[in-house]
Amino acid sequence: MSSSPTERIIAIQSSLPSSVRLIAVTKQVAPEMMRHAYAAGIRDFGESRIQEAATKQVELQDLPDITWHFIGKVQSNKAKLAIEHFQWIHSVDSLKLAQRLNQLAQQLGRSPLVCLQVKILSDPNKSGWTVSQLLEDLSQLNECKNLQIHGLMTIPPLGLNESEILDVFHRTRDLAKEIQEKNLSSIKMHQLSMGMSGDYQLAIQAGTTMVRLGTILFGERLYQ
Ligand SMILES: *Cc1c(COP(=O)(O)O)cnc(C)c1O
């Protein structure tokens, strides 16, 4: 890891299959470093705190073609800000939140791109739908016409071995396929947001379309 950040970003980006979109996760990463990432070709930035992202968006407003992805917990009192500041929301984790975002999107004249966050295995530390709850909620999600539901997002629980992680990713992919085959008018399932620094190669094996990478691009963060 003696290469410069720019070299590292270019190397990782060029190692990904062309079908995989790299979301550079820049929580706690300074705007100057984000400019290096931009210069290295990054156009998708992922943030988990709205206020932090909003500040950076002002600082980086001269960079025209960035797509901003929200990947953190959406507090219901921040839902409006999430829509205003991000084109993508990967972490829609309940029907209630989806319905609230849908209503706000209508009021704001927006149609945010979203992923539905699922928990394939139970995990007290993560939010998201269980598989059975998600299947139950689909018809009501399909009524959320102001959301562009484009796929699933998942984060495997901590402490799994590689084959268990791969299994989580495969099951997520299979669930997306199962939902796609229901042919619901407002729910598309061509995107999978899965894979972080420690497991993105497994996610690629399982057919992910978006990886969310922070540490491997920018180094360790001070806190989680
Ligand atoms: C922080 C974070 C990432 C990036 O994690 P790394 O391990 O640093 O690559 C990806 N997804 C989510 C939801 C995150 O909160």
Side-chain angles (χ1 to χ4, degrees):
M1 285 265 177
S2 58
S3 56
S4 75
T6 311
E7 285 167 344
R8 193 153 77 213
I9 292 164
I10 291 172
I12 289 168
Q13 194 166 35
S14 59
S15 76
L16 299 175
S18 59
S19 56
V20 175
R21 185 166 176 180
L22 171 57
I23 318 300
V25 175
T26 47
K27 55 191 182 199
Q28 298 177 51
V29 173
E32 306 84 78
M33 180 59 78
M34 293 170 71
R35 286 184 186 276
H36 288 301
Y38 185 93
I42 298 288
R43 293 296 178 273
D44 292 279
F45 289 105
E47 292 276 345
S48 55
R49 296 201 178 156
I50 293 172
Q51 191 49 57
E52 181 182 340
T55 305
K56 290 172 178 175
Q57 287 169 353
V58 173
E59 296 192 49
L60 299 175
Q61 60 188 320
D62 57 304
L63 306 181
D65 49 355
I66 294 176
T67 299
W68 294 90
H69 300 253
F70 191 71
I71 61 171
K73 173 92 185 151
V74 183
Q75 310 293 341
S76 68
N77 61 342
K78 302 258 177 73
K80 179 164 178 268
L81 286 171
I83 294 173
E84 288 171 334
H85 286 275
F86 295 88
Q87 288 99 321
W88 274 91
I89 303 174
H90 290 230
S91 42
V92 177
D93 59 6
S94 70
L95 178 61
K96 195 163 168 243
L97 175 63
Q99 290 172 331
R100 182 168 172 76
L101 289 168
N102 182 57
Q103 192 179 25
L104 290 163
Q106 175 160 38
Q107 287 164 15
L108 296 165
R110 298 281 187 95
S111 42
L113 297 149
V114 310
C115 292
L116 307 176
Q117 183 172 354
V118 286
K119 288 194 287 194
I120 296 296
L121 302 175
S122 79
D123 183 349
N125 301 313
K126 290 277 176 304
S127 53
W129 272 274
T130 63
V131 173
S132 58
Q133 190 66 55
L134 178 59
L135 293 172
E136 249 176 62
D137 287 348
L138 282 177
S139 58
Q140 288 180 86
L141 286 165
N142 193 42
E143 300 302 312
C144 295
K145 306 287 183 197
N146 303 290
L147 303 182
Q148 302 185 63
I149 299 174
H150 266 359
L152 299 179
M153 184 268 223
T154 201
I155 306 171
L158 292 174
L160 301 186
N161 67 33
E162 287 202 352
S163 72
E164 292 164 336
I165 294 171
L166 191 57
D167 186 56
V168 166
F169 290 152
H170 278 140
R171 285 161 68 179
T172 307
R173 181 200 59 194
D174 292 347
L175 178 62
K177 186 159 178 277
E178 180 184 340
I179 295 171
Q180 181 67 40
E181 284 167 356
K182 294 180 187 293
N183 284 317
L184 298 164
S185 56
S186 302
I187 299 181
K188 303 280 173 296
M189 282 283 138
H190 354 269
Q191 300 288 338
L192 293 168
S193 173
M194 48 190 207
M196 302 168 46
S197 294
D199 58 18
Y200 73 99
Q201 276 144 339
L202 299 171
I204 289 170
Q205 266 187 57
T208 193
T209 66
M210 296 192 277
V211 291
R212 309 177 312 271
L213 304 184
T215 311
I216 198 172
L217 301 177
F218 302 109
E220 294 288 340
R221 291 177 293 272
L222 289 176
Y223 57 91
Q224 283 306 306

